[in-house]
Amino acid sequence: MPANDIKKILENLGLMEYYDKKLTLHTVLQIDKNSVTDVSVQSLSDLPWLFLKRLIMLQRTARSVKCSSSDGTEDSEWDDDQENKSDCPQSVNPLDILIAIFLCSDSFLQQEMIIKMSMCQFAVPLLLPYSDNNQITLMLWAMRDIVKKYRPHSLSDTSAFVEERIALSELPLVSFVRLGRCNISKSEILNKLLSNPQQYTDTFVHFNMDCGNISKKISNGLVEMAWYLPCGNKNIDVFPEPVAIANLRGDIQNFETQYTFLCEASTAVFVFFESQLLDSQLISVPSQKSMPQLFLVGNSNNENIKATVHKLNLKKSNFIFKDRQNDADFVEKIQSKLQDAIKNNNHKMSVVRLAEIARNLGILVDEDAEECQCAKVSAHEITSKINDIVQFKKEELSLQGEILIKLAKLEKEECQLKKVGDMSVQNYKNDLLMQKNKLREDQCTKDMSTTMSCFIKAISTPERAYFLKWLRIALENKSHEVLPQLRELYKQKCKDVCGNKKEIAELDKKISNSSLGVEHFIREMSQLYEAAVSLPEDALYRKQLEHLPKLCVNGTPPMAPVSIGYSESVYALKKHIMEIFKDYNPSDIKEFLQWTKDLWTAVKFEKFIFSFRNSLVADAYIKLCTEYNSWDWTLRKQMHTWALEAETNILNHGKFESSEQCTIEDVHCHLLREAESELSKGQDEIIAKIQSYYEQGEGHVELVESYRQDFINSAKSLKTELSNSIRIKLDAAVSRRNGMMKLEGIKKTYMDTMEKKVLNLLKNCRENKSDMSDSVLNEAFEKMWQETVRTLSYTVLKPQDIMTRVFHHLRKNLQPRGSSMAQSLDKVKDLHNQGHGNFVSPKGNFFSKFWNAQKIKRVQEMSKKLIRDCWEFVERKKECKDDYDDTYIREILNMIDEKLKAHEDLKLKEDFELSLKLYICGFASREFQKIHNQFIQESNPRTTLENAKQTYHSDFIDLYRERDQCQKKADEFMSNCLKPALERYISENLGMEMADKMVTGENSAIFGSRMTFQVSVLKNILYESKFQIYLHFIESYESFVKKFIFDEVKKHFTTENRMIKLEESLVNEVISEITRAIEESEQDSKKNDIKGFIENICKKLENRLVFPKDAVDKISTLNNANQKKFTECLQFSVKDMDKSLKASFQARMFQSKIRHLQTKPQDVLFKRVQGCGKQCPFCKAPCEAGGEVHTKHFVSIHRPEGLGCCSEIYSDKLVTDICTTSVHSDSCFKCHDTNDQWHPYKEYSKIYPDWRIDPDCSAEASAYWKYVMAKFNEEFADEYDVEPAYIPSSWESITEAQAKESL
């Protein structure tokens, strides 16, 4: 065969690059777009891949591949074996495609292709025709893996069958060849010959198949092989015994070697001949000692044929003529001749023996490659020792005996805990671990067998793949001696499981004992490795085996035949999987491996349910929480800014323009409607983002689909929360403004009166021609002041009884509690005697003695934190310098109610609630009374006027002396109006800005979600590793976390002057607005006096800054400043204010700055990570569920219950049980929630329906807290005044690194 023919075909088919660098099975099995889509073939280069794809899928259409653009070709009168000229540039004969692929494939891909072809009942290549080195190759290795099962009629037992490798089967071989051109399609006749009447099969490619009429370029000289294997049914079987069929493509005149090979190997040869060419010289094989039975198949008889008959000494029975017979009769005649030939000749051949004939004829055998033969020797070294499989496994694979069975049972029990009984779960698990370690020690005492040494040595060589295949073939050959019959018997017995229960069990054991495959060697190797790594002190042994994990991945499991229908289903599944995978990062194989690991864990635990211990599920949930929290935060910050502006707008209402057309109530209603509109828009945006996030499939969100509604509900809850918060804030602002407006009116009257009197005095003094001295002016001013003050009618602000108002609101708050609460409250006359000293809770609030101490501690801690929070609230109100408002006490009562609701599990009685509220309202009412009294004193109009006396006097003197007041008034406006307003603005905004930097900046990983925050806290205290820190964390979680957050905030903002930079950025933002307001007011021609100029500036800034009305009015009176010059002076004053404020930023300490903030960043951040505040009912770990509204509470990392002061009833020892383990066990618990009755942990949800605790007994599940309890066991016992826990030894071995990793 000319080399250029091969080159041209390979180039056309796009296979040229694989001729030297062979295609591998790995390449063909790779999943890509083409492997899961059904696209039409557009070019010849697509044909090989389509053939391989279909073949791997076991599709019988695999050989029918052609380009969709190819046209029909001209018919040929010749059969499929002949050289016709009906070529098409877009068509290739299927056999040429087959040969091209085989020439470009490595031996393992060839082997796989032949297996698949055999399963599809396609003929397979026996002799591969010449390559460019003019060599023929016999495909023995490629056929080694074909296993066939059949039932010949000669078997005495009709239920018996034969199952063996076809390469070893001794069968009669019948060959079919062609001489010259024959208009009978040899291959089509062969197909009919081998097909039973009920089903026709295209075993061989023929002329009438797709592209079968295209002339062959490189496949002539191919010898194909097929087998007819009877099923045992006489009505179906064509032949009663198995027979091998060989088919030579092309004219025997051109392929003498192949023809000679077939004549030597065959029982009979059928020659389809052209009458004119029938010649004894062409048909006879000189090198052969004895000719096979020869049958000549032609269309009709003639004189030439008769001459040949005489020369070859043939009989009439050696000829088969079609003449006018139909195909059915013709095929039946050939079948008869073939059957007779087999009966009359005992000559049989296996493919292995065919290889010997091939070598004698100079034909290459694929199996003779050096690495293949070396691997065969290595495999034989192992299998030659196997005389008895059971004994071999016992002696050479000893780690898989009783020890492994015991280990498997222990691991199963470790997961399922079915025999824990009354023992502590953790102690029981520790006992199991000790037993496992003892068995591992026993394993390590056994030396590695000679067989395993040979195995490990062999798989460490380059010919590893050949070795594993040879070993598998040899082992299966050994097992095939007994296994097929045992499996068939097992199948029969299983038809009556109840009646044959004992026999089935025995058969199952026999099958297991008689099985021996590569997997047993891999398993033995894995046991060697596991035994070594489980005992790290055995360093030498471990060193010898450290390379095993890399070798284990090259194990090749046995392959069983797959049905065509099943293959189609697998293809559909693959397409479906790829549809899902195409949206994910294809490089993240770790994720897939983790998923597989989690799935295996679920299988071991027999728990196929959603679990947050499933790392991918937990990761998906954390990602979703982080995304939701960012949307939540954006809306919170947006509405915080909006609310501050709305509050400022209300507090400035009516100061710089008439309020008659638009009352403060109108403004209030308008702002509330606007707030609802903004909140509705924000809620809808968050819900849309949630829906979009799920639809886009980000971060395996399909794993947490059940939580979609929780997050949607949380978005709705967020709107309600913010709406209530804004309403309270605006209501308070309106109340404050209404109170101030009355005072401002009185002050304005006084100031206007005094201004007129001063101006009249000034006029009188100027009319006096003589220059008046300062003492005379002072005397005149004093006289005017006293006279004016006497004429003013004073409105005295009467102090109100704030304590009585607070008591009234307390009564209103408790009114819904019922008559018993009302009766208790009636005994309290007022709040004067309430809230003194330390709070002491009333007795009788606890049900169970067992829980008494722990509950008292929790109640005391809760009360202490709540009282502290209320004190801080009161302190913030005192710093505001505003009058008391009833919204203050309503907010405090709401804080108490929310805290009590969060601790409903304590089931506190009404008398506790009353005592707590009386205590808090007592001290709060006294402080609120002081706030009110101080405000009345400082806001008294008479006092205000007296305080302004010096300013009036100074202005009077300046006006009389005609001094320039520009800089003086500018400084007054800056110091009395702008600076206080700017400082208030910073106080209200800085805290939220700081929190925003923590949430969105470099600390976003900490504050992204509650789960990530919890992990960060635990890592931090692990680093400190001090008992008192852990005790504080466990007993006072809220205060600990707030301190942790404060420390994180402090650490962040004291680094690189971040706090100062943030303060300066806020100041710069407002200073630029002030400067712009001054410039714009200067250009406003309508405001041509100083008063109008100042009010215009304030008006432009009224949404940002709150200005004191009396201070603005005071500056505007008695002012003779030139507007242009005043503007310049004011701009200088603003610059001085800028410098002054920034200097104060440098001077003040961090704690001092935080203390004066209206919104504390640590409080904002705590609210973000605190969540619902619920704690696990067993270990008291805080709930970490995302969103504000969730149907179930959960904790990702539970703790040993002893850390929460839980001890055993009888021994008084701290408990080591962990919630996730307990709910998986058969243990029981009792507490006040169960009325002190024992209740199964597995049914915990009946007592705590709002909680979800996923069963998890894995060793690493809570390694963090196991480490903590093991390290500080004695300290916790001393603190709780109980006995130390019995710490399982496995806990003692947990390192700090392992504890950190478990997070």
Side-chain angles (χ1 to χ4, degrees), residues 53 58 84 147 210 251 320 335 344 427 444 478 506 589 628 672 743 775 798 808 953 976 984 1036 1055 1122 1139 1187:
K53 173 186 170 181
L58 299 175
N84 65 69
V147 176
D210 283 338
D251 194 334
I320 305 172
Q335 286 175 342
N344 298 329
N427 292 339
C444 285
K478 291 280 186 183
E506 290 176 355
I589 191 66
Y628 175 81
L672 287 178
L743 279 175
S775 60
K798 295 181 179 179
H808 167 74
H953 177 265
N976 295 336
R984 179 184 185 277
S1036 308
T1055 304
N1122 175 274
K1139 293 178 182 177

mmCIF file of all heavy atoms in Angstrom, residues 53 58 84 147 210 251 320 335 344 427 444 478 506 589 628 672 743 775 798 808 953 976 984 1036 1055 1122 1139 1187:
data_model
loop_
_atom_site.group_PDB
_atom_site.id
_atom_site.type_symbol
_atom_site.label_atom_id
_atom_site.label_comp_id
_atom_site.label_asym_id
_atom_site.label_seq_id
_atom_site.Cartn_x
_atom_site.Cartn_y
_atom_site.Cartn_z
ATOM 1 N N LYS A 53 -17.357 8.543 19.077
ATOM 2 C CA LYS A 53 -18.419 8.918 20.021
ATOM 3 C C LYS A 53 -19.536 7.884 20.002
ATOM 4 O O LYS A 53 -19.988 7.413 21.059
ATOM 5 C CB LYS A 53 -18.954 10.301 19.661
ATOM 6 C CG LYS A 53 -20.170 10.733 20.470
ATOM 7 C CD LYS A 53 -20.725 12.049 19.949
ATOM 8 C CE LYS A 53 -22.061 12.377 20.566
ATOM 9 N NZ LYS A 53 -22.639 13.627 20.059
ATOM 10 N N LEU A 58 -21.951 2.616 22.182
ATOM 11 C CA LEU A 58 -22.495 1.338 21.723
ATOM 12 C C LEU A 58 -23.679 1.528 20.764
ATOM 13 O O LEU A 58 -24.654 0.789 20.801
ATOM 14 C CB LEU A 58 -22.922 0.464 22.906
ATOM 15 C CG LEU A 58 -21.820 0.067 23.878
ATOM 16 C CD1 LEU A 58 -22.397 -0.698 25.055
ATOM 17 C CD2 LEU A 58 -20.737 -0.761 23.196
ATOM 18 N N ASN A 84 -14.328 0.476 -7.163
ATOM 19 C CA ASN A 84 -15.188 1.234 -8.065
ATOM 20 C C ASN A 84 -14.753 2.683 -8.069
ATOM 21 O O ASN A 84 -13.973 3.121 -7.232
ATOM 22 C CB ASN A 84 -16.657 1.109 -7.649
ATOM 23 C CG ASN A 84 -16.934 1.733 -6.304
ATOM 24 O OD1 ASN A 84 -16.890 2.939 -6.164
ATOM 25 N ND2 ASN A 84 -17.218 0.888 -5.313
ATOM 26 N N VAL A 147 -14.757 -10.981 26.241
ATOM 27 C CA VAL A 147 -15.282 -12.168 26.924
ATOM 28 C C VAL A 147 -16.652 -12.474 26.338
ATOM 29 O O VAL A 147 -17.495 -11.587 26.213
ATOM 30 C CB VAL A 147 -15.399 -11.926 28.447
ATOM 31 C CG1 VAL A 147 -16.029 -13.138 29.130
ATOM 32 C CG2 VAL A 147 -14.029 -11.623 29.048
ATOM 33 N N ASP A 210 -24.428 2.994 4.285
ATOM 34 C CA ASP A 210 -24.001 4.378 4.057
ATOM 35 C C ASP A 210 -22.530 4.418 3.682
ATOM 36 O O ASP A 210 -21.664 3.936 4.431
ATOM 37 C CB ASP A 210 -24.217 5.228 5.317
ATOM 38 C CG ASP A 210 -25.677 5.610 5.503
ATOM 39 O OD1 ASP A 210 -26.418 5.589 4.503
ATOM 40 O OD2 ASP A 210 -26.068 5.925 6.633
ATOM 41 N N ASP A 251 -8.861 -8.290 -3.281
ATOM 42 C CA ASP A 251 -8.620 -9.425 -4.184
ATOM 43 C C ASP A 251 -7.423 -10.214 -3.694
ATOM 44 O O ASP A 251 -6.355 -9.648 -3.416
ATOM 45 C CB ASP A 251 -8.368 -8.881 -5.592
ATOM 46 C CG ASP A 251 -8.439 -9.951 -6.664
ATOM 47 O OD1 ASP A 251 -8.187 -11.125 -6.331
ATOM 48 O OD2 ASP A 251 -8.728 -9.606 -7.819
ATOM 49 N N ILE A 320 -20.504 -23.691 -5.353
ATOM 50 C CA ILE A 320 -21.833 -23.151 -5.014
ATOM 51 C C ILE A 320 -22.139 -22.061 -6.035
ATOM 52 O O ILE A 320 -21.408 -21.070 -6.135
ATOM 53 C CB ILE A 320 -21.866 -22.550 -3.594
ATOM 54 C CG1 ILE A 320 -21.411 -23.574 -2.554
ATOM 55 C CG2 ILE A 320 -23.260 -22.021 -3.260
ATOM 56 C CD1 ILE A 320 -21.225 -23.010 -1.162
ATOM 57 N N GLN A 335 -24.795 -22.049 4.193
ATOM 58 C CA GLN A 335 -24.846 -22.499 5.585
ATOM 59 C C GLN A 335 -24.676 -24.009 5.690
ATOM 60 O O GLN A 335 -23.972 -24.516 6.568
ATOM 61 C CB GLN A 335 -26.179 -22.086 6.225
ATOM 62 C CG GLN A 335 -26.305 -20.602 6.564
ATOM 63 C CD GLN A 335 -27.682 -20.240 7.084
ATOM 64 O OE1 GLN A 335 -28.627 -20.999 6.875
ATOM 65 N NE2 GLN A 335 -27.795 -19.079 7.710
ATOM 66 N N ASN A 344 -16.936 -32.345 9.395
ATOM 67 C CA ASN A 344 -15.988 -33.288 8.805
ATOM 68 C C ASN A 344 -14.533 -32.959 9.131
ATOM 69 O O ASN A 344 -13.628 -33.634 8.640
ATOM 70 C CB ASN A 344 -16.160 -33.317 7.280
ATOM 71 C CG ASN A 344 -17.549 -33.790 6.901
ATOM 72 O OD1 ASN A 344 -18.149 -34.592 7.617
ATOM 73 N ND2 ASN A 344 -18.075 -33.289 5.785
ATOM 74 N N ASN A 427 -17.360 9.177 74.849
ATOM 75 C CA ASN A 427 -16.544 8.096 75.415
ATOM 76 C C ASN A 427 -16.684 6.828 74.590
ATOM 77 O O ASN A 427 -15.711 6.092 74.368
ATOM 78 C CB ASN A 427 -16.945 7.824 76.866
ATOM 79 C CG ASN A 427 -16.585 8.986 77.779
ATOM 80 O OD1 ASN A 427 -15.727 9.799 77.447
ATOM 81 N ND2 ASN A 427 -17.249 9.071 78.920
ATOM 82 N N CYS A 444 0.055 -3.650 61.342
ATOM 83 C CA CYS A 444 1.446 -3.233 61.151
ATOM 84 C C CYS A 444 2.442 -4.304 61.588
ATOM 85 O O CYS A 444 3.619 -4.255 61.208
ATOM 86 C CB CYS A 444 1.713 -1.934 61.911
ATOM 87 S SG CYS A 444 1.012 -0.483 61.103
ATOM 88 N N LYS A 478 -8.553 -16.969 36.070
ATOM 89 C CA LYS A 478 -8.568 -17.876 37.211
ATOM 90 C C LYS A 478 -9.976 -17.968 37.814
ATOM 91 O O LYS A 478 -10.488 -19.048 38.087
ATOM 92 C CB LYS A 478 -7.590 -17.388 38.288
ATOM 93 C CG LYS A 478 -6.131 -17.482 37.918
ATOM 94 C CD LYS A 478 -5.610 -18.898 38.100
ATOM 95 C CE LYS A 478 -4.111 -18.952 37.868
ATOM 96 N NZ LYS A 478 -3.599 -20.346 37.982
ATOM 97 N N GLU A 506 -24.740 -19.076 51.634
ATOM 98 C CA GLU A 506 -23.534 -19.876 51.377
ATOM 99 C C GLU A 506 -22.934 -19.535 50.018
ATOM 100 O O GLU A 506 -21.707 -19.425 49.877
ATOM 101 C CB GLU A 506 -23.883 -21.368 51.449
ATOM 102 C CG GLU A 506 -24.207 -21.848 52.869
ATOM 103 C CD GLU A 506 -24.652 -23.300 52.900
ATOM 104 O OE1 GLU A 506 -24.801 -23.896 51.803
ATOM 105 O OE2 GLU A 506 -24.844 -23.841 54.008
ATOM 106 N N ILE A 589 -11.697 21.307 40.160
ATOM 107 C CA ILE A 589 -11.878 19.881 40.412
ATOM 108 C C ILE A 589 -11.952 19.606 41.910
ATOM 109 O O ILE A 589 -12.569 18.633 42.347
ATOM 110 C CB ILE A 589 -10.718 19.071 39.772
ATOM 111 C CG1 ILE A 589 -11.034 17.566 39.802
ATOM 112 C CG2 ILE A 589 -9.400 19.358 40.468
ATOM 113 C CD1 ILE A 589 -12.198 17.165 38.954
ATOM 114 N N TYR A 628 -26.706 38.379 50.546
ATOM 115 C CA TYR A 628 -27.897 39.009 51.131
ATOM 116 C C TYR A 628 -27.499 40.106 52.113
ATOM 117 O O TYR A 628 -28.092 41.185 52.135
ATOM 118 C CB TYR A 628 -28.771 37.972 51.844
ATOM 119 C CG TYR A 628 -29.941 38.627 52.550
ATOM 120 C CD1 TYR A 628 -31.085 38.977 51.843
ATOM 121 C CD2 TYR A 628 -29.866 38.954 53.911
ATOM 122 C CE1 TYR A 628 -32.147 39.618 52.469
ATOM 123 C CE2 TYR A 628 -30.921 39.607 54.546
ATOM 124 C CZ TYR A 628 -32.048 39.931 53.818
ATOM 125 O OH TYR A 628 -33.081 40.585 54.439
ATOM 126 N N LEU A 672 -42.964 60.554 55.956
ATOM 127 C CA LEU A 672 -43.318 59.158 56.214
ATOM 128 C C LEU A 672 -43.731 58.451 54.932
ATOM 129 O O LEU A 672 -43.373 57.284 54.696
ATOM 130 C CB LEU A 672 -44.447 59.078 57.242
ATOM 131 C CG LEU A 672 -44.072 59.401 58.691
ATOM 132 C CD1 LEU A 672 -45.297 59.343 59.595
ATOM 133 C CD2 LEU A 672 -42.999 58.436 59.210
ATOM 134 N N LEU A 743 -40.768 77.947 72.372
ATOM 135 C CA LEU A 743 -39.696 78.683 73.031
ATOM 136 C C LEU A 743 -39.065 79.709 72.091
ATOM 137 O O LEU A 743 -38.753 80.837 72.494
ATOM 138 C CB LEU A 743 -38.609 77.701 73.503
ATOM 139 C CG LEU A 743 -38.868 76.973 74.824
ATOM 140 C CD1 LEU A 743 -37.767 75.958 75.068
ATOM 141 C CD2 LEU A 743 -38.939 77.960 75.977
ATOM 142 N N SER A 775 -17.814 105.022 79.831
ATOM 143 C CA SER A 775 -18.539 104.898 81.103
ATOM 144 C C SER A 775 -19.935 105.483 80.986
ATOM 145 O O SER A 775 -20.904 104.918 81.534
ATOM 146 C CB SER A 775 -17.765 105.625 82.220
ATOM 147 O OG SER A 775 -17.616 106.999 81.906
ATOM 148 N N LYS A 798 -42.799 75.809 83.113
ATOM 149 C CA LYS A 798 -42.986 75.016 84.321
ATOM 150 C C LYS A 798 -42.415 73.603 84.136
ATOM 151 O O LYS A 798 -42.725 72.935 83.155
ATOM 152 C CB LYS A 798 -44.463 74.914 84.662
ATOM 153 C CG LYS A 798 -45.100 76.250 85.029
ATOM 154 C CD LYS A 798 -46.560 76.049 85.378
ATOM 155 C CE LYS A 798 -47.202 77.379 85.765
ATOM 156 N NZ LYS A 798 -48.641 77.224 86.098
ATOM 157 N N HIS A 808 -46.662 56.237 83.751
ATOM 158 C CA HIS A 808 -47.866 56.100 82.928
ATOM 159 C C HIS A 808 -47.588 55.210 81.712
ATOM 160 O O HIS A 808 -48.397 54.316 81.385
ATOM 161 C CB HIS A 808 -48.335 57.483 82.476
ATOM 162 C CG HIS A 808 -49.369 57.437 81.378
ATOM 163 N ND1 HIS A 808 -50.689 57.065 81.614
ATOM 164 C CD2 HIS A 808 -49.271 57.684 80.031
ATOM 165 C CE1 HIS A 808 -51.351 57.091 80.471
ATOM 166 N NE2 HIS A 808 -50.522 57.481 79.493
ATOM 167 N N HIS A 953 -24.629 94.550 74.616
ATOM 168 C CA HIS A 953 -23.800 95.674 75.064
ATOM 169 C C HIS A 953 -22.632 95.898 74.123
ATOM 170 O O HIS A 953 -22.332 97.030 73.711
ATOM 171 C CB HIS A 953 -23.308 95.420 76.494
ATOM 172 C CG HIS A 953 -22.391 96.488 77.013
ATOM 173 N ND1 HIS A 953 -21.011 96.404 76.946
ATOM 174 C CD2 HIS A 953 -22.658 97.701 77.585
ATOM 175 C CE1 HIS A 953 -20.469 97.483 77.457
ATOM 176 N NE2 HIS A 953 -21.465 98.295 77.878
ATOM 177 N N ASN A 976 -20.925 79.813 67.010
ATOM 178 C CA ASN A 976 -22.218 79.558 67.653
ATOM 179 C C ASN A 976 -23.207 78.793 66.790
ATOM 180 O O ASN A 976 -24.179 78.247 67.310
ATOM 181 C CB ASN A 976 -22.852 80.888 68.077
ATOM 182 C CG ASN A 976 -22.050 81.601 69.134
ATOM 183 O OD1 ASN A 976 -21.301 80.971 69.874
ATOM 184 N ND2 ASN A 976 -22.169 82.921 69.199
ATOM 185 N N ARG A 984 -22.326 68.173 65.487
ATOM 186 C CA ARG A 984 -23.484 67.287 65.617
ATOM 187 C C ARG A 984 -23.595 66.362 64.419
ATOM 188 O O ARG A 984 -23.889 65.157 64.568
ATOM 189 C CB ARG A 984 -24.760 68.129 65.756
ATOM 190 C CG ARG A 984 -26.040 67.306 65.886
ATOM 191 C CD ARG A 984 -27.261 68.211 65.920
ATOM 192 N NE ARG A 984 -28.476 67.449 66.156
ATOM 193 C CZ ARG A 984 -29.151 66.816 65.196
ATOM 194 N NH1 ARG A 984 -28.740 66.869 63.936
ATOM 195 N NH2 ARG A 984 -30.250 66.133 65.498
ATOM 196 N N SER A 1036 -20.589 35.087 78.668
ATOM 197 C CA SER A 1036 -21.046 36.451 78.353
ATOM 198 C C SER A 1036 -20.797 36.731 76.880
ATOM 199 O O SER A 1036 -20.015 37.609 76.514
ATOM 200 C CB SER A 1036 -20.308 37.474 79.220
ATOM 201 O OG SER A 1036 -20.391 37.134 80.576
ATOM 202 N N THR A 1055 -4.918 52.352 62.909
ATOM 203 C CA THR A 1055 -3.825 52.033 61.990
ATOM 204 C C THR A 1055 -3.823 53.040 60.834
ATOM 205 O O THR A 1055 -4.879 53.323 60.261
ATOM 206 C CB THR A 1055 -3.978 50.603 61.432
ATOM 207 O OG1 THR A 1055 -4.048 49.688 62.517
ATOM 208 C CG2 THR A 1055 -2.801 50.243 60.523
ATOM 209 N N ASN A 1122 -20.666 95.081 56.397
ATOM 210 C CA ASN A 1122 -20.782 95.138 54.947
ATOM 211 C C ASN A 1122 -20.851 93.702 54.415
ATOM 212 O O ASN A 1122 -20.028 92.864 54.777
ATOM 213 C CB ASN A 1122 -19.575 95.879 54.362
ATOM 214 C CG ASN A 1122 -19.573 95.860 52.852
ATOM 215 O OD1 ASN A 1122 -19.080 94.904 52.253
ATOM 216 N ND2 ASN A 1122 -20.135 96.903 52.250
ATOM 217 N N LYS A 1139 -9.488 74.092 60.200
ATOM 218 C CA LYS A 1139 -8.205 73.787 60.853
ATOM 219 C C LYS A 1139 -8.412 73.390 62.308
ATOM 220 O O LYS A 1139 -7.776 72.455 62.805
ATOM 221 C CB LYS A 1139 -7.277 74.999 60.772
ATOM 222 C CG LYS A 1139 -6.814 75.349 59.367
ATOM 223 C CD LYS A 1139 -5.941 76.589 59.371
ATOM 224 C CE LYS A 1139 -5.515 76.969 57.943
ATOM 225 N NZ LYS A 1139 -4.724 78.231 57.924
ATOM 226 N N GLY A 1187 -30.208 36.149 57.396
ATOM 227 C CA GLY A 1187 -31.459 36.895 57.310
ATOM 228 C C GLY A 1187 -32.066 37.097 58.684
ATOM 229 O O GLY A 1187 -31.711 36.442 59.665
#
